[in-house]
């Protein structure tokens, strides 16, 4: 490269406004934590790009866990209800959040959704975030754990190009491993990239279409 321009703090428009938003979000996230804790509900925030396999992962987890736990799902999407309609087929309580133009869920939207769920009757709450690997990292929702799902079809640089979200993850799911060869993507390299950013993250390889690796995800979540 010839030259790099790095955005300095305060140089990007609206940075002060943004700090204020982030602080408000953190406070509401803490309230969500207290509410969920009060009823012993485990909340899991699932992040990842569009098409990485977040909904399929939730489906496979529901199939394995629904006899043991009472499960609900909050589904974030810009405008559609495609994913929540899919989840609904599993006989699970689903709340759709349509964010309009917003590319992430925030704690306030999740608080609103929580009011529509009988939390005391729910053991596990899956929250499917809006498909995006950048700003969800800045908006904790009050979840106990954060999963990041990536797919080998997204290419070899997904991890190194999104360091902040991987730093936030407790579990990283590398999905569609059956396609790694066709995509010429080295799964071990993706795993090493995660470990170098976040040594404590648990990394699991899956094929969420067939269910391969789902037991390991359940183990990684201590469920
Ligand atoms: Mg989805
Ligand atoms: Zn966003």
């Amino acid at each position: 490269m010839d030259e790099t321009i790095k955005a300095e703090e305060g140089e990007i428009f609206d940075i002060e406004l943004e700090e204020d938003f982030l602080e408000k979000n953190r406070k509401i996230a803490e309230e969500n934590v207290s509410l969920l804790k009060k009823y012993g509900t485990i909340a899991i925030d699932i992040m990842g790009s569009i098409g990485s396999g977040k909904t399929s992962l939730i489906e496979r987890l529901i199939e394995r866990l629904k006899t043991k736990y009472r499960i609900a799902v909050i589904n974030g999407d810009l405008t559609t209800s495609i994913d929540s309609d899919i989840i609904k087929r599993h006989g699970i309580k689903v709340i759709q959040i349509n964010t309009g133009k917003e590319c992430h869920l925030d704690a306030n939207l999740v608080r609103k959704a929580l009011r529509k769920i009988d939390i005391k009757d729910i053991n596990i709450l899956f929250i499917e975030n809006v498909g995006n690997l950048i700003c969800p990292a800045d908006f904790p929702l009050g979840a106990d754990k954060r999963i990041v799902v990536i797919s080998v079809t997204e290419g070899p640089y997904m991890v190194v190009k999104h360091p902040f979200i991987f730093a936030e993850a407790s579990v990283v799911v590398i999905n569609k491993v059956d396609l790694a060869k066709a995509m010429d993507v080295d799964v071990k390299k993706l795993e090493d990239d995660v470990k170098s950013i976040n040594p404590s993250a648990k990394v699991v390889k899956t094929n969420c279409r067939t269910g391969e690796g789902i037991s390991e995800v359940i183990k990684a979540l201590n469920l």
Side-chain angles (χ1 to χ4, degrees):
M1 110 205 56
D2 292 324
E3 259 186 275
T4 302
I5 295 172
K6 282 194 176 152
E8 301 293 338
E9 185 137 355
E11 194 178 37
I12 295 181
F13 297 126
D14 289 339
I15 193 87
E16 273 174 43
L17 198 64
E18 198 178 296
E19 273 307 311
D20 189 40
F21 277 142
L22 294 177
E23 185 50 34
K24 278 183 184 145
N25 183 78
R26 268 191 290 271
K27 281 202 179 115
I28 300 172
E30 281 165 23
E31 290 168 28
N32 290 347
V33 169
S34 317
L35 177 71
L36 292 160
K37 217 176 230 163
K38 184 174 164 193
Y39 295 109
T41 307
I42 299 163
I44 299 166
D45 179 9
I46 300 173
M47 307 177 288
S49 304
I50 294 168
S52 57
K54 298 182 294 302
T55 311
S56 303
L57 174 66
I58 294 170
E59 283 195 275
R60 299 294 87 77
L61 289 171
I62 288 170
E63 286 162 2
R64 297 286 187 93
L65 296 171
K66 74 175 177 185
T67 53
K68 192 173 168 192
Y69 300 102
R70 281 162 302 180
I71 301 172
V73 176
I74 294 175
N75 224 297
D77 197 274
L78 299 191
T79 59
T80 81
S81 64
I82 296 168
D83 294 350
S84 50
D85 291 340
I86 290 170
I87 300 297
K88 194 85 200 148
R89 289 191 223 132
H90 295 269
I92 295 289
K93 172 84 174 173
V94 188
I95 303 293
Q96 175 73 53
I97 298 177
N98 282 133
T99 57
K101 287 182 179 172
E102 285 304 322
C103 47
H104 56 271
L105 288 180
D106 64 31
N108 188 45
L109 289 168
V110 168
R111 177 167 69 178
K112 268 178 139 174
L114 288 174
R115 289 185 187 133
K116 298 189 182 296
I117 298 171
D118 230 335
I119 298 296
K120 64 177 188 321
D121 291 335
I122 297 298
N123 308 123
I124 301 176
L125 175 68
F126 292 118
I127 305 170
E128 180 173 348
N129 218 309
V130 178
N132 176 3
L133 274 181
I134 301 171
C135 47
D138 290 330
F139 291 87
L141 306 177
D144 299 272
K145 295 204 165 98
R146 305 188 92 182
I147 302 181
V148 177
V149 185
I150 52 164
S151 145
V152 300
T153 56
E154 296 169 305
Y157 306 117
M158 283 309 274
V159 178
V160 289
K161 288 196 175 188
H162 300 92
F164 303 110
I165 207 143
F166 288 95
E168 291 291 315
S170 24
V171 177
V172 173
V173 171
I174 303 176
N175 191 27
K176 308 188 191 179
V177 286
D178 53 311
L179 301 176
K181 206 168 169 221
M183 293 304 299
D184 199 17
V185 167
D186 181 353
V187 174
K188 178 73 174 60
K189 172 74 169 59
L190 286 174
E191 191 174 352
D192 292 345
D193 290 344
V194 172
K195 289 288 179 190
S196 69
I197 292 168
N198 182 349
S200 65
K202 294 174 187 168
V203 180
V204 185
K205 295 157 217 159
T206 62
N207 175 348
C208 289
R209 270 189 316 112
T210 61
E212 181 191 338
I214 298 300
S215 304
E216 284 73 21
V217 177
I218 291 170
K219 218 178 284 168
L221 292 168
N222 299 319
L223 294 174

